[in-house]
Amino acid sequence: MEYIFETEHLKIRKFEFDDAQCLYKNHLEEEVKKWIPNESYADIEETKDAINFYIDCVNNKHLPYVLAVELKSTGELIGDTGVNEVEGNLNEVEIGYGICKKYSGKGYATELLMAMTKYIAETFEINILYGRVMHGNNASVRVLEKNGYEFVKEELGAEDDPYGNGMLIYKKVC
């Protein structure tokens, strides 16, 4: 298996078709559906289609650039991370990350975001990264702040905010 980068506890790699069942299951978790509601897959076929798309994007080094996150000690797929373009701004991306509930609260998201921020800044020569978090997702806010992302503003009326509570926008300049 080809790993793109590693951290102390994690190995980050391209998705593989064998990841479909685990990715589907991870995205059905209540925490994912609560904080990232548009990231759940309808079924395994949709998950496989998404993986195929992610592989193509990574192979061709274009956005969205989504990677699988494995726990080093077990080889288990425990999350994913990626970046997508900020509309109209070529040198800016929005970063996302998720660790399944079984492994949350262990510092893995913080470790992942630190490494992914560095990797994306270097690989894509991106200077500005944003993190968007639904109001109330305090764990994700802490992850961003621990990695030097600074609060910029609150966005109301975003299409990916199904509760209407607002999105908190964080920014990091590399």
Side-chain angles (χ1 to χ4, degrees), residues 24-48:
Y24 176 69
K25 188 179 109 198
N26 287 353
H27 280 249
L28 283 178
E29 289 186 348
E30 287 306 314
E31 289 291 309
V32 173
K33 289 172 26 178
K34 179 179 180 180
W35 298 121
I36 322 170
N38 57 347
E39 293 293 325
S40 292
Y41 303 103
D43 52 35
I44 291 293
E45 287 309 309
E46 185 179 58
T47 309
K48 288 179 182 176

Side-chain angles (χ1 to χ4, degrees), residues 2-169:
E2 179 185 331
Y3 293 97
I4 296 174
F5 63 91
E6 295 183 18
T7 68
E8 182 181 353
H9 300 101
L10 308 170
K11 290 183 176 185
I12 290 64
R13 61 172 172 78
K14 284 193 294 191
F15 272 101
E16 298 178 340
F17 290 108
D18 290 346
D19 293 325
Q21 185 66 40
C22 191
L23 179 63
Y24 176 69
K25 188 179 109 198
N26 287 353
H27 280 249
L28 283 178
E29 289 186 348
E30 287 306 314
E31 289 291 309
V32 173
K33 289 172 26 178
K34 179 179 180 180
W35 298 121
I36 322 170
N38 57 347
E39 293 293 325
S40 292
Y41 303 103
D43 52 35
I44 291 293
E45 287 309 309
E46 185 179 58
T47 309
K48 288 179 182 176
D49 289 345
I51 286 174
N52 190 45
F53 177 68
Y54 299 154
I55 291 169
D56 181 62
C57 290
V58 171
N59 285 343
N60 292 296
K61 280 206 169 154
H62 65 77
L63 304 179
Y65 195 85
V66 181
L67 301 169
V69 178
E70 270 185 23
L71 188 60
K72 257 186 196 181
S73 61
T74 65
E76 182 181 354
L77 180 69
I78 66 164
D80 52 86
T81 184
V83 294
N84 205 351
E85 64 188 354
V86 172
E87 203 169 306
N89 298 315
L90 295 176
N91 292 324
E92 300 178 1
V93 294
E94 180 182 325
I95 195 163
Y97 47 89
I99 300 292
C100 65
K101 185 166 181 64
K102 178 179 174 182
Y103 295 101
S104 64
K106 300 180 186 314
Y108 297 145
T110 300
E111 185 177 316
L112 172 62
L113 183 60
M114 180 183 297
M116 185 64 167
T117 298
K118 182 177 188 263
Y119 174 79
I120 292 300
E122 292 172 357
T123 303
F124 288 94
E125 298 179 355
I126 298 290
N127 328 14
I128 300 173
L129 291 96
Y130 289 94
R132 295 175 72 245
V133 179
M134 252 189 240
H135 196 279
N137 187 348
N138 298 327
S140 199
V141 165
R142 283 192 303 277
V143 168
L144 288 165
E145 289 174 345
K146 285 180 188 176
N147 277 285
Y149 284 74
E150 295 181 1
F151 178 76
V152 177
K153 66 179 180 177
E154 189 168 352
E155 177 185 5
L156 297 172
E159 65 183 46
D160 57 346
D161 176 15
Y163 312 116
N165 294 332
M167 300 292 284
L168 304 174
I169 313 300

